[in-house]
Amino acid sequence: MLSSPWRSDFPALAVLEAQGEIYLDSAATAQKPQALINALSGYYTSGAANVHRAQHTTAERATRAFEGTREKLAAWLNVPGADQLIFTRGATEALNLLAYGLEHLVRPGDEIVVSALEHHANLLPWQQLALRRGARLVILPLDLAGAVDLPAARRLISAHTRLLAVSQLSNVLGTWQPLTELLPLARAQGALTVVDGAQGIVHGRHDLPALGCDFYVLSSHKLYGPEGVGALYGRREALAQLRHWQFGGEMVEIADYQHADFRPAPLGFEAGTPPIAGVIGLGAVLDYLLTLDETAVAQHEAALHAKLVAGLGKRRGLHLLGRPQAALASFAVDGVHHGDLAHLLTEQGVAVRSGTHCAMPLMNSLGRTGAIRVSLGLYNDGADLDVFFAALDRALEMLA
Amino acid sequence: MLSSPWRSDFPALAVLEAQGEIYLDSAATAQKPQALINALSGYYTSGAANVHRAQHTTAERATRAFEGTREKLAAWLNVPGADQLIFTRGATEALNLLAYGLEHLVRPGDEIVVSALEHHANLLPWQQLALRRGARLVILPLDLAGAVDLPAARRLISAHTRLLAVSQLSNVLGTWQPLTELLPLARAQGALTVVDGAQGIVHGRHDLPALGCDFYVLSSHKLYGPEGVGALYGRREALAQLRHWQFGGEMVEIADYQHADFRPAPLGFEAGTPPIAGVIGLGAVLDYLLTLDETAVAQHEAALHAKLVAGLGKRRGLHLLGRPQAALASFAVDGVHHGDLAHLLTEQGVAVRSGTHCAMPLMNSLGRTGAIRVSLGLYNDGADLDVFFAALDRALEMLA
Amino acid sequence: MTIDPSALPAAAQAALAEFGAAGGWEQRARLLMSWGERLEPLTDAERSDENLVHGCESRVWLVGEDEDGHWHFRGSSEARLLRGLLAVLLARVDSLTADELQSLDVADWFAQLGLSRQLSPSRASGMNAVLQRMRDKGRERR
Amino acid sequence: MTIDPSALPAAAQAALAEFGAAGGWEQRARLLMSWGERLEPLTDAERSDENLVHGCESRVWLVGEDEDGHWHFRGSSEARLLRGLLAVLLARVDSLTADELQSLDVADWFAQLGLSRQLSPSRASGMNAVLQRMRDKGRERR
Ligand SMILES: Cc1ncc(COP(=O)(O)O)c(C=O)c1O
Ligand SMILES: Cc1ncc(COP(=O)(O)O)c(C=O)c1O
């Protein structure tokens, strides 16, 4: 029962299992399907080339494959026009690109609004932008379940708001954020909206135009793809507001020594040789994911998550952070340090994450020094959770 | 004669050959050794994890392998202390990191000095920095051979010079730049020195402390490694002058909502999930390169290059750009457009690059709209050049 | 979507016939060059920065006029083979309306001529950029 | 470079003996916890931000004094197993000179105790950061 029909598509799961290891840290990075390994080997075996530069056959093949991924990702996100997708190193770089590229729009006294649960990657670029420009960073508080508190947001999003940046799915609390209510509040004030989809993209398909944000960022490595690749989606009108940020290579239209003109998005924002094999690999992963039965995946993930939350709920002295809805759950145990728990879980071959999960301010505001996070991939089985619970009980017993 | 003993280590060479393709565009990006393909497959097959974050076994393995590459690269460059190496997406990102990270040191009226032959990646970041700060960008002219003109450099590098940024090996002219003379001129003025080693790193081992620059940048993909990975070396004292640039993830020491402190180099400059498999792959490539006989490689490359230059010299109406010393040669032919030549070479399965090679200002200053570049890897054979020359002659005949 | 050849302009029909009969890369290249020579020349004034199509490795200029809703383009390039590519593209698009320009399947057209590879996603050939410029012009006017 | 055990401080010899006899992860973990409990306590004042070792996921404090060229460190942590790791590290480094601290092969020490994995390059365990802090202290003083 609760066995993943896709587990064998991910060769690492069997290798880890043979070593007595159970992987429950997919929110940090996911294991990779054989389709990715094949795509990388295939690309490098049949001839690498730089993209967008040369006209020779090898370069043509590489460029077509690279641009093919842009089309596939656009289709995945229901984005009309792949030129609205910029490849980046990951979600973090995409957010930094935004914070620098939109800097010229932020004036002293303007407000940038983020939620209290943001990952550092969606907090620090805005915090530092606010510091550079003398703007104010406004923090939207959470309700007890761990979602942005809408009445407070209605008060805090105002005519001063220049930009709202918020997560789709919390990497600590596992809560979906109320974007359908939040984004219109910002739009009504003429503010730009940025959605951090680093976690959300992994669970269910999302229709970006329907979501109605100006920008959306994601990382390939959480979506079963390679690291070093991510993407920034921008509505065409929003992209037009971005100033160029990194310079070099093929992002230039015309250059002389003292002056240069740059290309529009997407290429104008992809300075230097991009992660070609990685992008092609992400394309192969999207192809693979398209072969899966979306509903079956969603049901499997929901069942695993329910089992996880129910099991945690049964342990005495254990406190969930927020009310997790998907993908993961974080918890703390009375009188037990999360570092000790992580240590003893590691000794038992259970891979979970402990600490502040790149969300120190959130931890502080929850009054915690850290927590343990258990996170799920579509390849996890119910049995992985049984191993985890047994290891948890043993660890708690030892620490009692 | 002139056959590369390492050719069979690069599986793409045989695949391309079977398709009637000859790869002579290694200065754009190199083909990859089997060792890289194995490392990537091996890593993803045996379990991926994020680095520097979790304590579980899979993460430990990944972090050790990732940091192992930093050590290997430090050894490769004779850098004492791997913490003087920051991983980036590539040379371009490294140069942008410098141009933003050092921005605070540049004042109106200061001068930033680059050479006339810089790749856009080592021109535009400085040009844009100069524009942002009201500084002057000073261009060092070249001598006829295609090296920075030293008497002119002595005049142009002055007390106003805040920074000198120059290539080690030109990606268009194939000329080694006189760094041993140039760098001390800048140092004597208290200016920082940046060397663009994107091409130089591929040909011969370089001892960075002996070179005496403050910063050195490189890209993995030209050194037979994966794309999406590069490195910035900085002398410890020079690194200490860099301001933090991209924010997020594990680069932070302590964060609250309104303020944050950042880690020093290298981790403080590696925001977000890095290209983990890519970095591990680069390590495997360095391991592979270490197994080669350095002298034999140098001799093979020199012999190939001599054959290339001699062969080009025999074609009537063909003009070499500069006097190439290593790795590549660029040329133009009287009355023939480089685009036409490239077209007909492509039709004959010869992969060379045509155009401005990301150095438009250099091309303009040479009075050319573009050129054909033939560039070599250690896997090329003399026979590749024979094919190229035959194709060139046929193309020139058709275009006559 | 492949169109009935007889519905094509005469020049396009000629291109189909000639390129269809071409035996190999060498013949196709020679054909391209001869088509390129037949391009209506541009004046010096027309070879302006404004008419330069960005995103091509070699310089390409394009001018176009809307005559009663039908577009007529002329163009040139420094490179001979590019002029040829331009010529066979112009042969196909001549007299199209802005809407037809938007929906034209250029990849299919080049495929029919055995020139698929020339329609590169990179800036090397630039035919994509030329097409984009045509479409933009068509759209501006509406 | 492995040192002759008899040249080690008594506490370090005890650690070698006890951890050497430990049968599995569970026993080692229990041993670590009991070693952690024997750490000399820090005062509240010593648990200051200044003495906090950065680069550990769990908070670790470290104080050290130079007595006639020999360093004595004391430390603590919020986490029990970290206290244990700290205790076995402190046992090994007690009374070393600054130079000896620089050259100490800590990886080897943890390996001898069967605790190799705990000397993580990431910030999870933090023992590397602790060692770095010790070395920095030693160097400052010279
Ligand atoms: C919500 C959220 N945002 C952003 C990021 C940063 O992603 P990356 O490290 O891939 O850039 C993460 C990943 O940890 C995340 O969970
Ligand atoms: C001299 C030089 N500098 C910088 C670069 C940029 O390298 P990358 O595109 O890998 O960032 C290149 C590569 O084209 C180069 O040849």
Side-chain angles (χ1 to χ4, degrees):
Chain A
M1 26 85 60
L2 260 191
S3 118
S4 164
W6 312 286
R7 191 172 177 100
S8 58
D9 300 338
F10 294 77
L13 273 288
V15 173
L16 292 175
E17 200 169 321
Q19 291 163 197
E21 294 170 42
I22 292 294
Y23 193 75
L24 292 168
D25 195 16
S26 294
T29 201
Q31 300 304 323
K32 315 305 176 197
Q34 188 63 43
L36 170 63
I37 299 171
N38 295 348
L40 295 174
S41 302
Y43 173 65
Y44 282 141
T45 298
S46 59
N50 218 320
V51 291
H52 301 130
R53 283 155 173 83
Q55 81 174 238
H56 55 73
T57 318
T58 325
E60 279 301 314
R61 271 197 304 268
T63 305
R64 275 181 211 277
F66 181 90
E67 290 300 323
T69 297
R70 211 190 295 273
E71 303 282 347
K72 289 172 193 173
L73 190 58
W76 184 262
L77 301 168
N78 202 31
V79 166
D83 59 341
Q84 288 170 275
L85 289 171
I86 296 169
F87 286 122
T88 65
R89 184 189 19 241
T92 300
E93 196 199 24
L95 291 162
N96 279 279
L97 194 171
L98 287 177
Y100 283 107
L102 299 172
E103 176 162 344
H104 65 108
L105 298 176
V106 176
R107 279 183 212 93
D110 280 354
E111 294 182 353
I112 298 172
V113 179
V114 302
S115 90
L117 55 68
E118 295 310 317
H119 187 281
H120 292 161
N122 197 29
L123 169 65
L124 300 177
W126 307 118
Q127 175 193 89
Q128 297 295 312
L129 166 59
L131 291 173
R132 287 197 302 277
R133 302 293 284 187
R136 263 168 42 83
L137 188 72
V138 173
I139 311 294
L140 300 180
L142 309 176
D143 61 23
L144 285 177
V148 168
D149 183 298
L150 283 172
R154 279 192 199 95
R155 281 193 312 278
L156 289 166
I157 296 174
S158 75
H160 300 289
T161 306
R162 200 74 203 82
L163 185 141
L164 168 70
V166 63
S167 284
Q168 185 176 27
L169 175 62
S170 164
N171 69 313
V172 180
L173 308 175
T175 46
W176 292 101
Q177 297 307 307
L179 299 181
T180 15
E181 291 81 23
L182 266 178
L183 300 183
L185 295 180
R187 258 205 315 276
Q189 303 289 352
L192 288 167
T193 55
V194 176
V195 173
D196 176 355
Q199 297 293 339
I201 184 84
V202 189
H203 302 282
R205 296 269 302 264
H206 306 287
D207 180 321
L208 295 196
L211 191 57
C213 54
D214 290 305
F215 297 104
Y216 184 94
V217 309
L218 62 96
S219 281
S220 145
H221 71 96
K222 299 195 198 263
L223 187 60
Y224 310 105
E227 322 86 43
V229 179
L232 167 63
Y233 154 79
R235 273 198 320 116
R236 207 158 269 134
E237 299 73 13
L239 283 177
Q241 302 200 47
L242 271 183
R243 290 262 170 96
H244 289 89
W245 177 43
Q246 293 194 46
F247 305 97
E250 292 291 306
M251 54 77 66
V252 79
E253 188 71 64
I254 295 182
D256 69 29
Y257 289 120
Q258 300 295 344
H259 172 269
D261 288 331
F262 307 113
R263 304 172 84 170
L267 294 193
F269 294 87
E270 296 176 0
T273 300
I276 301 169
V279 167
I280 293 173
L282 173 59
V285 170
L286 291 174
D287 285 343
Y288 162 73
L289 292 175
L290 276 173
T291 66
L292 308 187
D293 174 344
E294 226 182 302
T295 323
V297 171
Q299 278 169 357
H300 178 70
E301 290 192 359
L304 278 178
H305 191 257
K307 179 179 166 105
L308 169 63
V309 173
L312 290 173
K314 283 195 206 121
R315 267 72 195 173
R316 247 194 315 166
L318 185 153
H319 302 278
L320 281 177
L321 272 54
R323 282 204 285 278
Q325 300 169 300
L328 58 90
S330 297
F331 64 91
V333 181
D334 286 339
V336 173
H337 193 275
H338 59 91
D340 288 327
L341 252 184
H343 186 121
L344 297 182
L345 289 170
T346 297
E347 292 288 1
Q348 296 175 79
V350 174
V352 297
R353 175 102 183 263
S354 89
T356 56
H357 310 292
C358 296
M360 290 188 204
L362 171 63
M363 283 296 160
N364 289 340
S365 72
L366 296 173
R368 306 259 173 214
T369 59
I372 301 276
R373 180 183 71 188
V374 181
S375 60
L376 307 166
L378 55 82
Y379 37 64
N380 282 120
D381 284 345
D384 296 339
L385 291 177
D386 295 334
V387 173
F388 160 69
F389 283 123
L392 175 66
D393 290 338
R394 191 146 179 211
L396 289 175
E397 195 189 296
M398 287 176 70
L399 292 167
Chain B
M1 27 85 56
L2 262 190
S3 118
S4 164
W6 311 287
R7 191 171 176 102
S8 59
D9 299 339
F10 294 77
L13 273 288
V15 173
L16 292 175
E17 202 170 319
Q19 291 164 196
E21 293 170 41
I22 293 293
Y23 193 73
L24 292 168
D25 195 17
S26 293
T29 200
Q31 299 305 323
K32 316 304 176 197
Q34 189 63 43
L36 170 64
I37 298 170
N38 295 348
L40 295 175
S41 302
Y43 172 65
Y44 283 140
T45 299
S46 60
N50 217 322
V51 291
H52 301 130
R53 282 155 173 83
Q55 82 175 238
H56 55 74
T57 318
T58 324
E60 280 299 314
R61 271 198 305 268
T63 305
R64 276 182 211 277
F66 181 89
E67 290 299 324
T69 296
R70 212 190 295 273
E71 303 282 347
K72 288 171 195 175
L73 190 58
W76 184 262
L77 300 168
N78 201 31
V79 166
D83 58 341
Q84 289 170 274
L85 289 171
I86 296 169
F87 286 123
T88 65
R89 185 192 14 243
T92 301
E93 196 200 22
L95 290 162
N96 279 280
L97 193 171
L98 287 176
Y100 282 107
L102 299 172
E103 175 160 345
H104 65 109
L105 298 176
V106 176
R107 277 181 214 94
D110 281 354
E111 294 181 351
I112 298 172
V113 179
V114 302
S115 89
L117 55 67
E118 296 310 318
H119 187 280
H120 292 159
N122 196 29
L123 168 67
L124 300 177
W126 307 117
Q127 174 193 90
Q128 297 295 312
L129 166 59
L131 291 172
R132 288 196 301 275
R133 302 293 284 187
R136 262 167 43 83
L137 189 73
V138 174
I139 311 296
L140 299 180
L142 309 178
D143 62 23
L144 285 178
V148 168
D149 183 298
L150 283 171
R154 281 194 197 92
R155 281 193 311 277
L156 290 167
I157 296 175
S158 74
H160 300 291
T161 306
R162 202 71 204 85
L163 186 141
L164 169 70
V166 63
S167 283
Q168 185 176 26
L169 175 63
S170 163
N171 70 311
V172 179
L173 307 176
T175 47
W176 292 102
Q177 298 306 306
L179 298 182
T180 18
E181 290 82 23
L182 267 177
L183 301 183
L185 296 179
R187 259 205 314 276
Q189 304 288 354
L192 288 167
T193 55
V194 176
V195 173
D196 175 355
Q199 297 292 340
I201 183 84
V202 189
H203 302 282
R205 297 269 302 263
H206 306 287
D207 180 320
L208 294 196
L211 191 58
C213 56
D214 290 305
F215 297 104
Y216 185 95
V217 309
L218 62 96
S219 281
S220 147
H221 70 95
K222 300 197 197 261
L223 188 60
Y224 311 106
E227 321 85 43
V229 179
L232 167 64
Y233 153 79
R235 273 197 320 115
R236 206 158 270 136
E237 300 74 11
L239 282 177
Q241 302 199 47
L242 272 183
R243 291 260 170 95
H244 288 87
W245 177 44
Q246 293 195 43
F247 306 97
E250 291 292 303
M251 55 75 67
V252 80
E253 188 72 66
I254 296 181
D256 70 26
Y257 290 120
Q258 301 295 343
H259 172 269
D261 289 329
F262 307 113
R263 304 174 84 171
L267 293 192
F269 294 86
E270 296 175 359
T273 300
I276 301 169
V279 167
I280 292 173
L282 172 60
V285 170
L286 292 174
D287 285 343
Y288 162 72
L289 291 176
L290 277 173
T291 66
L292 308 188
D293 174 344
E294 227 183 301
T295 323
V297 172
Q299 278 169 357
H300 178 70
E301 290 192 359
L304 277 179
H305 191 256
K307 180 180 165 103
L308 170 63
V309 172
L312 290 173
K314 282 196 206 120
R315 267 72 196 173
R316 249 195 311 169
L318 185 153
H319 301 278
L320 281 176
L321 272 54
R323 282 203 285 278
Q325 299 169 302
L328 58 90
S330 296
F331 64 90
V333 181
D334 287 340
V336 173
H337 192 275
H338 58 90
D340 288 326
L341 253 185
H343 186 120
L344 297 183
L345 289 170
T346 297
E347 291 288 1
Q348 297 175 79
V350 174
V352 297
R353 176 103 181 263
S354 88
T356 56
H357 310 291
C358 297
M360 289 188 205
L362 171 63
M363 283 296 160
N364 288 339
S365 71
L366 296 173
R368 306 257 172 217
T369 59
I372 300 277
R373 180 181 72 187
V374 181
S375 60
L376 306 166
L378 55 81
Y379 36 64
N380 282 119
D381 285 344
D384 295 340
L385 291 177
D386 295 335
V387 172
F388 160 69
F389 283 123
L392 176 64
D393 290 338
R394 191 146 179 210
L396 289 176
E397 195 189 295
M398 288 176 69
L399 291 167
Chain C
M1 167 214 56
T2 308
I3 275 189
D4 169 15
S6 64
L8 291 176
Q13 293 189 29
L16 270 183
E18 292 180 31
F19 282 88
W25 72 267
E26 210 169 327
Q27 262 189 292
R28 266 196 306 275
R30 290 194 196 280
L31 259 182
L32 276 179
M33 289 195 274
S34 78
W35 273 72
E37 274 156 37
R38 282 182 264 155
L39 271 184
E40 259 183 83
L42 294 189
T43 64
D44 280 357
E46 284 170 331
R47 292 171 170 257
S48 65
D49 277 2
E50 196 168 309
N51 292 331
L52 203 59
V53 180
H54 289 300
C56 309
E57 188 66 68
S58 305
R59 286 192 289 177
V60 174
W61 297 268
L62 186 77
V63 298
E65 285 119 41
D66 175 354
E67 288 169 19
D68 299 330
H70 295 271
W71 280 87
H72 295 281
F73 291 99
R74 288 176 306 125
S76 190
S77 166
E78 304 169 317
R80 290 164 66 184
L81 288 141
L82 263 188
R83 282 204 292 275
L85 289 170
L86 206 52
V88 298
L89 176 60
L90 294 180
R92 176 68 184 83
V93 304
D94 193 49
S95 294
L96 294 188
T97 64
D99 282 338
E100 287 167 337
L101 267 177
Q102 298 304 326
S103 61
L104 178 68
D105 185 345
V106 193
D108 181 63
W109 173 241
F110 278 86
Q112 287 182 58
L113 299 178
L115 297 171
S116 278
R117 258 236 319 275
Q118 311 306 335
L119 202 71
S120 147
S122 79
R123 65 159 97 193
S125 101
M127 280 309 110
N128 271 320
V130 169
L131 183 70
Q132 195 50 54
R133 173 69 82 105
M134 289 175 172
R135 289 184 170 155
D136 290 349
K137 272 186 184 286
R139 213 172 312 173
E140 274 166 28
R141 210 35 99 69
R142 278 195 288 185
Chain D
M1 170 212 55
T2 309
I3 277 189
D4 167 17
S6 65
L8 291 175
Q13 293 188 30
L16 270 183
E18 291 181 31
F19 281 88
W25 72 268
E26 211 168 327
Q27 262 190 292
R28 267 197 305 277
R30 290 195 197 280
L31 259 180
L32 275 178
M33 288 195 275
S34 80
W35 273 72
E37 271 156 38
R38 284 182 265 153
L39 272 183
E40 261 183 80
L42 294 187
T43 64
D44 280 356
E46 286 171 328
R47 294 172 169 253
S48 64
D49 276 2
E50 198 168 308
N51 292 330
L52 204 58
V53 179
H54 288 300
C56 308
E57 188 67 65
S58 305
R59 284 193 290 177
V60 174
W61 296 267
L62 186 78
V63 298
E65 284 119 40
D66 174 355
E67 286 170 18
D68 299 330
H70 294 270
W71 280 87
H72 295 280
F73 291 99
R74 288 176 305 124
S76 189
S77 167
E78 304 170 317
R80 290 165 66 184
L81 288 141
L82 263 188
R83 282 204 292 274
L85 289 170
L86 206 52
V88 298
L89 176 61
L90 293 179
R92 177 67 186 83
V93 304
D94 194 48
S95 295
L96 294 189
T97 64
D99 283 337
E100 288 167 335
L101 267 177
Q102 297 303 326
S103 62
L104 178 69
D105 185 345
V106 194
D108 180 63
W109 173 241
F110 278 87
Q112 287 181 58
L113 300 178
L115 297 171
S116 278
R117 258 239 317 277
Q118 311 305 335
L119 201 70
S120 146
S122 80
R123 65 159 99 194
S125 101
M127 278 309 111
N128 271 319
V130 169
L131 181 71
Q132 195 49 53
R133 173 67 84 105
M134 289 175 171
R135 291 186 168 153
D136 290 349
K137 272 185 185 287
R139 212 173 314 171
E140 274 165 28
R141 212 32 100 70
R142 280 193 288 185

